[in-house]
């Protein structure tokens, strides 16, 4: 390489990295995500339609819904102004890693991994999405274009498995082109080789069995652990801002804490995962919110999803949504980090369930103003749906046949994405029901003096008289923020007391959504977000909100001040100080010492690595009793003895021996014991002195002890 070329490459890389760093984010509360099934969006590069290494998986006629149809990363890049014009600020794209190259059916017709969930090489980009050298060029170009337009790139990422073991390449996994293992050739134990999951309420099966024939990765294997972490770091260094983690209920739960920690240590990022089904009626609901509250990984909100589909498509009463939100808000510590959606690539579209555009608009307006980070599925803004086989997968993965910027849905998304940017009540605020009947839902979002009041009438023919409505909006007359796009009119508010100002009586016409809002001026700093929510001393953390002032103040963890890298009126970047591990209320103070509302952050003891604990011959348990581990650091629960604080439940495929993977601070000596937490909450400790273990400095660890009687 000549020195001129080297200098150019060097300067280019430095500039690119600086640019990419600016674009990354540790929370997405003010974003609107647009979910794209990459293969079905837009064909921007015909040269990758039928690449040589995986020839024959493409169907140019788009008759076979299980084949590749030609959409690619270049196509998304070419549609960037359409995406930006909709107001969305992040795109979630299909898993982008190299997928298996062969037909998954043992004979015709073609069944191809056009969706991206059948990885063969996590170190490379899929040739149908990029180019036939599996190079990073198309991905880099997409990221650059997205960032230039203020749009973040979220990559779908599946840690649980490689590819289908019943056909195709039989699970074969590669490391940058070098074969590692397959279902039938796995001398190093990279896969679990268990049967398909049959009991979806069995914690052991969920994590260690096979999900629908997808070759199940053994994340506790040091090579696989390192492989997955290195691979995602590559996507981070190529500019990915965040990741949607596929099937987090099926990868090893304890290991995922170390995975998240390793992502956050690489560069700022936001992670959210698919824990199906984390609604309040699921038997493992408690496991689901414990995971979201402790791991640093947000979750897709399936409770929201099913309630919204029930209410807007199947015409259930609004009380169903109201009950879901209030239950989840009391269980999920970071409920504004829940990622909300009503359509996805895994279920029939709302318009298939009920072909009524009013209802689609109403559901969208609710999604975009409710608590949580909203996801719009590509094509919903064009009213696309295909109802073959009730619109289920793959018929929900329609071809994006229209890019009109004049649909009502497109404009609605733009309006409400703008509101989210400008009124912090939407991204950071609380959620409160103000008025409810079967067809009408009026709710308020509030962040200090920022308020948004939203009224929805989903009935297609009946208007309702609304009386006795109170709001935190100050007295005055409010125009509909949507300018009547969905039928809303003015609202008059008079002064009341205690944040309850009476609204004048009015009639909410059939199929109407009205949004009234007001942005206040802070009298003290107001904190709305912290990201990540967990990490060790030295990790970079961003606190966001408003009214911080432009001169640098302080962030306190207990009485210890963090060192500040960047301070602006709305955002502070600091590093976690060297304080004792534990749960803190981080406290921002402005330059004149005025304190903001505190926000929870968990300080870890050190960077995490996964350790597998086994305790043999544990004390007997009956139904509903479980063995847990607890110990002297926050990673082990700080001697906590409850379901939420201790580590577990442990797993007992070899009862009365129990095991559990827990992510622990590298290089630290920990003390621990095993306990039984009975169904009624009563606790039995094992006898003797504490066990001790020094966590390795890197790789993975394991501990095997006997229960002490
Ligand atoms: C859930 C994904 O959303 C789905 O589309 C995929 O097939 C499975 N996980 C397996 O990766
Ligand atoms: C009770 C345990 O038996 C003991 O080993 C441990 O040190 C303490 N809890 C910690 O509080």
């Amino acid at each position: 390489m000549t020195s001129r070329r080297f200098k150019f490459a060097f300067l280019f890389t430095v500039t690119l990295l600086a640019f990419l760093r600016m674009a990354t984010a540790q929370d997405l509360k003010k974003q609107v995500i647009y979910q794209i099934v990459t293969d079905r969006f837009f064909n921007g590069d015909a040269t990758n339609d039928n690449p040589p290494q995986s020839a024959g998986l493409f169907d140019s006629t788009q008759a076979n819904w299980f084949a590749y149809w030609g959409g690619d990363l270049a196509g998304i890049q070419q549609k960037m102004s359409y995406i930006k014009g909709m107001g969305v600020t992040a795109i979630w794209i299909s898993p982008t890693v190299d997928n298996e190259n062969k037909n998954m059916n043992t004979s015709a017709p073609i069944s191809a991994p056009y969706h991206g969930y059948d990885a063969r090489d996590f170190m490379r980009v899929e040739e149908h999405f990029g180019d036939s050298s599996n190079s990073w060029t198309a991905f880099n170009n997409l990221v650059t274009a997205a960032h230039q337009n203020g749009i973040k790139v979220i990559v779908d990422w599946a840690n649980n498995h490689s590819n289908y073991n019943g056909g195709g390449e039989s699970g074969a996994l590669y490391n940058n082109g070098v074969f590692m293992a397959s279902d039938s050739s796995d001398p190093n134990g990279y896969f679990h080789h268990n049967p398909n999951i049959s009991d979806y309420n069995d914690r052991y099966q969920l994590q260690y069995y096979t999900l629908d024939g997808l070759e199940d990765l053994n994340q506790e294997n040091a090579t696989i652990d390192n492989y997955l972490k290195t691979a995602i770091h590559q996507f981070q260094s190529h500019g990915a801002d965040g990741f949607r983690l596929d099937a987090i209920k099926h990868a090893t739960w304890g290991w995922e804490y170390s995975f998240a920690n390793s992502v956050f240590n690489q560069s700022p990022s936001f992670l959210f995962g698919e824990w199906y089904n984390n609604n309040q009626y699921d038997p493992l609901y408690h496991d689901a919110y414990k995971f979201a509250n402790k791991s640093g990984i947000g979750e897709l909100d399936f409770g929201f999803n099913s309630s919204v589909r029930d209410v807007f498509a199947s015409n259930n009463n609004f009380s169903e949504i109201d009950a879901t939100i209030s239950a989840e808000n009391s269980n999920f510590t970071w409920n504004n980090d829940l990622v909300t959606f009503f359509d996805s690539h895994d279920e029939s579209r709302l318009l298939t369930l009920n072909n009524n555009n009013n209802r689609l608009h109403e559901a969208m307006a609710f999604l975009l103003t409710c608590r949580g980070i909203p996801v719009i599925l590509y094509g919903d803004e064009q009213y696309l749906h295909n109802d073959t086989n009730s619109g289920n997968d793959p018929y929900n993965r329609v071809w994006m046949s229209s890019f009109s910027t004049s649909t009502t849905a497109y404009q609605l998304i733009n309006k409400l994405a703008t509101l989210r940017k400008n009124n912090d009540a939407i991204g950071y605020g609380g959620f409160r029901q103000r008025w409810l009947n079967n067809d009408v839902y009026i709710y308020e979002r509030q962040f200090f003096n920022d308020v948004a009041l939203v009224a929805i009438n989903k009935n297609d023919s009946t208007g309702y008289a609304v009386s006795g409505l109170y709001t935190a909006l100050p007295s005055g007359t409010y125009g509909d923020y949507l300018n009547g796009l969905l039928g809303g009119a003015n609202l008059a508010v008079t002064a009341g007391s205690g944040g309850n100002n009476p609204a004048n009586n009015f009639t909410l016409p059939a199929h109407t959504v009205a949004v009234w809002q007001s942005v206040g001026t802070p009298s003290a700093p107001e904190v709305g977000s912290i990201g990540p929510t967990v990490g060790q001393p030295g990790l970079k953390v961003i606190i966001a909100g408003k009214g911080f002032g432009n001169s640098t103040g302080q962030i306190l963890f207990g009485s210890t001040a963090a060192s500040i890298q960047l301070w602006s009126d709305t955002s502070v970047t600091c590093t976690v100080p060297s304080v004792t591990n534990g749960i803190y209320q981080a406290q921002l103070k402005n330059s004149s010492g005025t304190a903001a509302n505190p926000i929870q952050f968990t300080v870890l003891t050190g960077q995490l690595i996964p350790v597998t604990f086994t305790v043999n011959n544990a004390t007997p348990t009956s139904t509903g009793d479980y063995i847990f581990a607890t110990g002297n650091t926050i990673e082990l629960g700080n001697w906590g003895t409850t379901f939420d604080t201790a580590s577990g439940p442990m797993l007992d495929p070899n009862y009365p021996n129990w095991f559990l993977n827990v992510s622990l601070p590298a290089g630290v000596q920990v003390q621990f014991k095993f306990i039984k937490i009975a169904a009624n909450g009563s606790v039995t400790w094992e006898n003797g002195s504490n066990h001790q273990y020094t966590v390795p400095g890197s790789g993975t660890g394991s501990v095997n002890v006997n229960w002490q009687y």
Side-chain angles (χ1 to χ4, degrees):
M1 200 190 264
T2 69
S3 82
R4 234 181 91 215
R5 267 175 66 200
F6 175 77
K7 253 187 227 151
F8 173 77
F10 177 75
L11 274 180
F12 178 77
T13 310
V14 169
T15 321
L16 184 73
L17 284 177
F19 187 63
L20 296 180
R21 254 199 294 278
M22 267 174 54
T24 51
Q26 279 136 322
D27 87 88
L28 295 177
K29 293 185 183 70
K30 299 190 77 165
Q31 314 300 321
V32 174
I33 301 172
Y34 185 60
Q35 184 193 353
I36 296 173
V37 174
T38 304
D39 178 62
R40 301 292 156 96
F41 193 63
F42 190 66
N43 191 343
D45 179 2
T47 68
N48 64 15
D49 287 353
N50 198 16
Q53 62 269 55
S54 47
L57 303 182
F58 171 64
D59 177 8
S60 64
T61 68
Q62 302 188 347
N64 177 356
W65 286 71
F66 296 87
Y68 283 100
W69 285 2
D72 50 28
L73 297 171
I76 300 173
Q77 185 191 335
Q78 287 164 31
K79 290 295 175 190
M80 201 54 71
S81 64
Y82 170 84
I83 293 169
K84 185 185 183 179
M86 199 175 1
V88 302
T89 54
I91 50 174
W92 151 16
I93 62 176
S94 300
T96 307
V97 300
D98 185 19
N99 264 239
E100 70 174 304
N101 289 346
K102 294 184 183 155
N103 184 5
M104 289 184 261
N105 282 340
T106 36
S107 56
I110 294 298
S111 178
Y114 69 90
H115 40 67
Y117 295 105
D118 285 57
R120 77 194 286 281
D121 194 335
F122 286 76
M123 300 292 176
R124 292 182 168 180
V125 173
E126 165 58 33
E127 62 273 9
H128 289 88
F129 298 160
D131 58 54
S132 56
S133 325
N134 300 98
S135 85
W136 287 89
T137 308
F139 185 78
N140 292 342
N141 290 343
L142 171 62
V143 168
T144 304
H147 288 174
Q148 277 165 356
N149 284 282
I151 290 175
K152 299 180 194 312
V153 177
I154 297 165
V155 177
D156 206 319
W157 188 266
N159 280 319
N160 175 65
H161 52 263
S162 58
N163 51 73
Y164 183 51
N165 63 22
E169 296 193 69
S170 301
L173 183 69
Y174 294 78
N175 183 351
N176 218 349
V178 179
F179 178 79
M180 294 175 74
S182 68
D183 185 50
S184 57
S185 165
D186 182 17
N188 300 312
Y190 295 157
F191 300 116
H192 284 132
H193 304 285
N194 285 321
N196 276 337
I197 300 165
S198 54
D199 179 355
Y200 277 82
N201 297 323
D202 179 315
R203 294 181 181 88
Y204 175 66
Q205 286 196 21
L206 287 174
Q207 297 171 69
Y208 291 89
Y209 275 30
T210 299
L211 176 65
D212 296 330
L214 294 162
E215 191 68 21
D216 203 57
L217 285 163
N218 175 8
Q219 293 94 10
E220 282 146 284
N221 178 291
T223 302
I224 295 301
D225 169 64
N226 181 55
Y227 173 80
L228 292 170
K229 289 171 181 170
T230 305
I232 200 162
H233 293 169
Q234 272 202 82
F235 275 84
Q236 291 181 272
S237 66
H238 284 271
D241 299 285
F243 298 89
R244 177 268 190 187
L245 302 179
D246 186 60
I248 53 168
K249 194 187 193 173
H250 302 291
T252 305
W253 302 349
W255 173 82
E256 291 176 299
Y257 287 55
S258 74
F259 181 77
N261 181 250
S262 122
V263 168
F264 298 142
N265 277 288
Q266 171 73 13
S267 64
S269 195
F270 183 80
L271 302 176
F272 63 98
E274 177 210 24
W275 185 298
Y276 181 81
N277 183 344
N278 57 2
N279 83 37
Q280 60 174 312
Y281 307 106
D282 191 86
L284 296 182
Y285 178 55
H286 199 164
D287 299 75
Y289 68 77
K290 177 180 179 178
F291 184 86
N293 293 347
K294 303 189 95 163
S295 65
I297 301 172
E299 286 179 14
L300 283 156
D301 188 347
F302 284 94
F304 175 100
N305 176 269
S306 50
S307 307
V308 169
R309 293 164 71 84
D310 287 351
V311 169
F312 289 94
S314 310
N315 209 28
N316 284 13
N317 296 340
F318 263 125
S319 54
E320 181 180 336
I321 287 182
D322 197 59
T324 295
I325 306 271
S326 79
E328 292 185 351
N329 282 4
S330 67
N331 295 131
F332 286 89
T333 309
W334 315 104
N335 56 67
N336 277 321
D337 279 332
L338 282 166
V339 178
T340 49
F341 64 108
F342 60 78
D343 273 351
S344 77
H345 63 308
D346 286 330
E347 55 196 346
S348 55
R349 290 178 184 249
L350 202 77
L351 286 179
T352 292
L353 298 178
N354 183 351
N355 193 9
N356 176 333
N357 289 358
N358 290 333
R359 286 292 174 80
L360 180 77
H361 295 148
E362 292 150 13
M364 274 182 177
F366 179 66
L367 169 75
L368 291 162
T369 52
C370 184
R371 66 96 180 94
I373 301 157
V375 182
I376 299 282
L377 179 63
Y378 83 100
D380 272 4
E381 75 280 15
Q382 302 295 340
Y383 312 105
L384 298 181
H385 59 108
N386 180 301
D387 302 338
T388 311
N389 187 27
S390 307
N392 285 312
D393 158 20
Y395 302 100
N396 52 357
R397 301 162 182 187
V398 294
W399 182 249
M400 186 70 177
S401 50
S402 160
F403 289 89
S404 163
T405 57
S406 60
T407 68
T408 300
Y410 186 90
Q411 288 165 21
L412 177 67
I413 296 164
N414 179 300
K415 278 253 153 204
L416 292 175
T418 307
L419 179 65
R420 180 171 286 262
K421 222 176 281 172
N422 297 333
N423 186 327
D424 285 347
I426 308 293
Y428 301 152
F431 182 97
R432 176 174 184 185
Q433 184 242 109
R434 285 292 195 171
W435 208 95
L436 175 77
N437 73 19
N438 293 347
D439 286 330
V440 175
Y441 198 30
I442 305 181
Y443 53 92
E444 192 159 74
R445 307 295 318 285
Q446 184 175 6
F447 181 66
F448 297 94
N449 296 319
D450 298 341
V451 181
L453 182 69
V454 182
I456 304 177
N457 176 3
K458 71 177 165 72
N459 194 299
D460 256 325
S461 51
T462 309
Y464 288 94
V466 174
S467 63
L469 173 68
Y470 291 90
T471 174
L473 287 166
S475 64
T477 299
Y478 295 85
D480 171 32
Y481 179 83
L482 298 175
N483 290 323
L485 186 67
L486 300 183
N490 290 356
L491 182 77
V493 175
T494 54
S497 63
N500 290 311
N501 298 329
N504 283 2
N505 295 348
F506 62 96
T507 295
L508 194 62
H511 59 80
T512 291
V513 178
V515 178
W516 304 288
Q517 61 98 34
S518 145
V519 174
T521 308
S523 53
E526 301 168 350
V527 167
S529 180
I530 190 165
T533 54
V534 50
Q536 82 288 352
L539 185 75
K540 201 179 276 187
V541 168
I542 295 184
I543 292 180
K546 65 191 283 198
F548 298 171
N550 289 314
S551 4
T552 301
Q554 278 190 311
I555 307 285
L556 296 167
F557 289 74
S559 55
T560 308
S563 86
I564 310 278
Q565 273 81 56
L566 277 174
W567 185 286
S568 80
D569 191 44
T570 55
S571 173
V572 175
T573 305
C574 65
T575 49
V576 179
S578 295
V579 291
T580 311
N581 66 85
I583 296 175
Y584 284 76
Q585 296 294 325
Q587 173 81 72
L588 180 146
K589 288 185 175 171
N590 69 14
S591 60
S592 42
T594 308
N597 52 306
I599 191 159
Q600 183 176 314
F601 183 84
T602 300
V603 178
L604 298 173
T605 315
Q607 286 195 35
L608 300 181
I609 69 163
V611 174
T612 305
F613 285 84
T614 303
V615 56
N616 302 303
N617 192 26
T619 193
T621 51
S622 334
T623 309
D625 304 348
Y626 295 100
I627 304 296
F628 285 71
T630 187
N632 70 338
T633 71
I634 189 68
E635 294 82 0
L636 276 161
N638 266 338
W639 296 118
T641 57
T642 62
F643 189 99
D644 284 294
T645 54
S647 304
M650 298 183 76
L651 309 170
D652 62 342
N654 303 308
Y655 183 88
N657 305 337
W658 297 70
F659 85 102
L660 183 75
N661 189 268
V662 185
S663 287
L664 292 183
V668 171
Q669 189 193 70
V670 294
Q671 303 212 0
F672 61 97
K673 269 196 168 178
F674 297 96
I675 56 176
K676 172 168 88 175
I677 305 181
N680 67 6
S682 72
V683 174
T684 308
W685 287 84
E686 63 168 327
N687 278 323
S689 49
N690 298 338
H691 303 283
Q692 274 192 31
Y693 174 68
T694 301
V695 181
S698 62
T700 63
S702 74
V703 184
N704 191 309
V705 297
N706 298 321
W707 179 280
Q708 298 171 155
Y709 285 95

